[in-house]
Amino acid sequence: METTSYKGTNKMITGIVFGVITFWLFAQSMVNVVPAVQKDLGISLGTLNIAISLSALFSGMFIVAAGGLADKIGRKKITYLGLILSIIGSLLIVLTQGAALLIIGRILLGISAACIMPATIALVKAYYEGADRQRALSFWSIGSWGGSGVCSLAGGAIATYMGWRWIFIFSIIFAILAMWLIKDTPESKAESTGAFKFDYTGLVIFIITMLALNLFITRGADWGWTSTITLVCAVITIIGIIVFVKVERNNDIALIDFSLFKNKPYAGATYSNFLLNAVAGTLVVANTYVQVGRGFTAFQSGLLSIGYLIAVLAMIRVGEKILQKSGAKSPMIWGAIITTVGCALMGLTFLPGFSYTVAVFIGFALFGLGLGIYATPSTDTSVSNSPPDKVGAAAGVYKMASSLGGAFGVAISATVYGAIAAVSSVEVAATGGIIANVIFGILSIISIIALVPKDTGKTTNEKATKIDYRNNTEPEPSH
């Protein structure tokens, strides 16, 4: 890695946080403005669901590639590329009058996030040391977790009092400020070890497969589940998965290194991370229902989630302390259980006015409480159980699981909501959509119980973990 005497400043970390929230706060605010956007643009709920899920989907698909490029050509350059893409994507959404620019803009926002997230973390690691690095990473986490916590409230307030397009005008402003704040940061690259190698074949297959799956989920109801185009998407998805696994297992340079999953703690952390991020579909369903079914404004529905913001920020450090005291498995399980219970409360749509409002408020608070407890133990488990020579790849796969989980969680739960709403009441539709998220939560709990050993995360096992990797260098078949 290039060496420099430069030390990170408050100005630099402020710029990084501003860059991070262009996605986590502003792009994610779409979850709370579905009725307003649909009314303004006159597009179908299915098309809008695609647009909402595309950002997380493209972020997940490109984050591994973007991280590798950042190491090779420069972390600051890739951060700037991400910010420029964020500005362009936000501008397209501001100007859109229909579905086309909205979808293109959301795709660009997803690629933007894929560039910004790994590149900014690498900049933090390069220019902060010791306690300063921990402090900087805490601010990075506040930008991401805090941004996702406040996005519903901020998006609702902006949409109600200024118009939903102003969400993306603010995003442009923050991206420009981020570029100015980090302009004095020196470039950072990994040591050059020859030509940059990347699994472009695997990436193309992966993109085609994920897009086909996303279209099958989000548009199947509109097209008809037995229509030719829906069946074609299903066939492409199945063939794509088979071909992708075969290609990746035979490649020396692979997009996803399946041998990572031979380690149970890592597999448990990654699978549960994917599934618990899929629960994010609750945000779309709950916010849409209280506006359509209960007459709330976007701002009022955002206020219901303020407990989420407070809880997730307050509990991140608590999860860290529990991890240090009792290991990772206990806080991961309890975090997933609390999050799932919070989701279930939001599905009690049979409750009358004020009672349901209280249930949703408590549900959001539990949602944030659980995620806050789960976050640090899960991340630590994924990193600490990665082979020393594959930490970067393992972290990329883990973050990809986050983004793809969120994308498919939103797509599936919103599709369930839309399909049921077309034939029944919005109350039944909301309950159905949230049940889908509860199922994701239960599967997340099962994956932790089944795969994460009880003593994972305890310092006494770090040496044993390293020895295991030295004695298991041959990849095992993935299942």
Side-chain angles (χ1 to χ4, degrees):
M1 183 174 293
E2 293 183 349
T3 59
T4 177
S5 60
Y6 179 82
K7 291 184 178 181
T9 62
N10 289 337
K11 180 180 177 181
M12 174 184 163
I13 194 59
T14 302
I16 285 175
V17 172
F18 280 9
V20 169
I21 66 175
T22 58
F23 177 75
W24 291 105
L25 197 165
F26 296 111
Q28 296 293 74
S29 290
M30 284 287 287
V31 302
N32 193 24
V33 295
V34 171
V37 176
Q38 188 178 11
K39 181 179 179 182
D40 185 23
L41 300 182
I43 59 180
S44 71
L45 183 60
T47 300
L48 188 53
N49 290 340
I50 290 178
I52 292 173
S53 64
L54 279 179
S55 285
L57 179 66
F58 272 77
S59 172
M61 291 192 299
F62 284 96
I63 195 168
V64 176
L69 284 172
D71 288 338
K72 186 66 178 178
I73 69 175
R75 285 78 180 248
K76 182 180 175 182
K77 286 188 179 72
I78 295 300
T79 299
Y80 262 63
L81 174 62
L83 292 169
I84 291 169
L85 290 174
S86 178
I87 292 170
I88 296 171
S90 295
L91 184 60
L92 291 178
I93 295 173
V94 170
L95 297 176
T96 188
Q97 297 298 321
L101 291 184
L102 177 66
I103 289 174
I104 295 171
R106 294 292 294 176
I107 289 172
L108 291 178
L109 292 182
I111 300 173
S112 162
C115 293
I116 291 171
M117 283 192 283
T120 51
I121 289 177
L123 284 173
V124 168
K125 290 182 179 179
Y127 295 129
Y128 295 87
E129 295 292 339
D132 288 336
R133 179 184 295 176
Q134 293 172 350
R135 173 176 171 270
L137 287 174
S138 292
F139 278 109
W140 194 99
S141 296
I142 288 171
S144 58
W145 287 94
S148 64
V150 79
C151 69
S152 182
L153 176 60
I158 295 170
T160 300
Y161 298 107
M162 301 179 71
W164 67 269
R165 294 175 196 269
W166 275 93
I167 293 170
F168 299 96
I169 294 174
F170 282 122
S171 183
I172 292 171
I173 293 170
F174 273 81
I176 293 171
L177 286 173
M179 295 175 73
W180 178 76
L181 287 166
I182 65 174
K183 66 182 178 65
D184 296 326
T185 303
E187 186 56 275
S188 167
K189 300 179 183 178
E191 291 182 359
S192 179
T193 55
F196 174 66
K197 296 181 179 180
F198 185 75
D199 180 19
Y200 295 104
T201 301
L203 179 63
V204 171
I205 297 170
F206 188 66
I207 290 172
I208 293 172
T209 303
M210 292 298 101
L211 286 175
L213 177 57
N214 189 266
L215 287 172
F216 174 79
I217 293 169
T218 56
R219 298 293 291 168
D222 291 343
W223 291 335
W225 294 110
T226 57
S227 68
T228 300
I229 190 168
T230 301
L231 294 177
V232 167
C233 286
V235 170
I236 291 174
T237 300
I238 295 169
I239 294 175
I241 291 172
I242 295 171
V243 172
F244 178 75
V245 171
K246 184 176 181 179
V247 168
E248 294 301 282
R249 289 177 62 184
N250 293 327
N251 275 1
D252 293 331
I253 304 298
L255 181 67
I256 297 178
D257 185 352
F258 287 107
S259 69
L260 292 168
F261 292 93
K262 70 181 180 181
N263 180 274
K264 282 190 173 183
Y266 177 84
T270 304
Y271 294 150
S272 65
N273 183 42
F274 174 87
L275 291 163
L276 209 56
N277 272 276
V279 175
T282 301
L283 300 176
V284 175
V285 174
N287 279 307
T288 300
Y289 169 67
V290 296
Q291 292 176 55
V292 175
R294 301 278 175 152
F296 281 48
T297 65
F299 175 62
Q300 289 171 333
S301 69
L303 286 175
L304 291 175
S305 66
I306 196 168
Y308 168 88
L309 169 64
I310 296 171
V312 74
L313 291 179
M315 297 307 295
I316 286 177
R317 296 302 302 274
V318 174
E320 175 189 335
K321 299 301 180 184
I322 299 173
L323 164 67
Q324 294 169 352
K325 184 176 181 180
S326 63
K329 184 166 188 172
S330 176
M332 286 175 69
I333 291 174
W334 281 106
I337 290 173
I338 293 169
T339 297
T340 303
V341 171
C343 291
L345 284 176
M346 296 184 227
L348 304 179
T349 58
F350 59 84
L351 293 174
F354 181 72
S355 297
Y356 182 70
T357 301
V358 171
V360 173
F361 185 86
I362 296 174
F364 269 119
L366 291 176
F367 189 96
L369 185 73
L371 288 181
I373 294 173
Y374 169 89
T376 301
S378 175
T379 305
D380 180 76
T381 298
S382 71
V383 173
S384 63
N385 286 279
S386 304
D389 60 335
K390 297 180 180 180
V391 173
V397 172
Y398 179 80
K399 288 300 298 179
M400 182 167 62
S402 302
S403 294
L404 292 180
F408 286 112
V410 168
I412 291 170
S413 54
T415 297
V416 171
Y417 174 87
I420 297 176
V423 297
S424 186
S425 67
V426 290
E427 286 76 17
V428 175
T431 298
I434 289 173
I435 286 174
N437 290 280
V438 170
I439 292 172
F440 290 135
I442 292 171
L443 292 174
S444 177
I445 296 165
I446 293 172
S447 69
I448 298 167
I449 293 172
L451 294 172
V452 179
K454 186 176 181 180
D455 56 1
T456 296
K458 294 181 180 179
T459 54
T460 54
N461 291 300
E462 290 180 0
K463 185 176 179 180
T465 299
K466 294 177 182 177
I467 293 173
D468 285 344
Y469 273 112
R470 284 197 290 267
N471 291 334
N472 291 281
T473 55
E474 291 298 319
E476 295 177 1
S478 57
H479 298 285

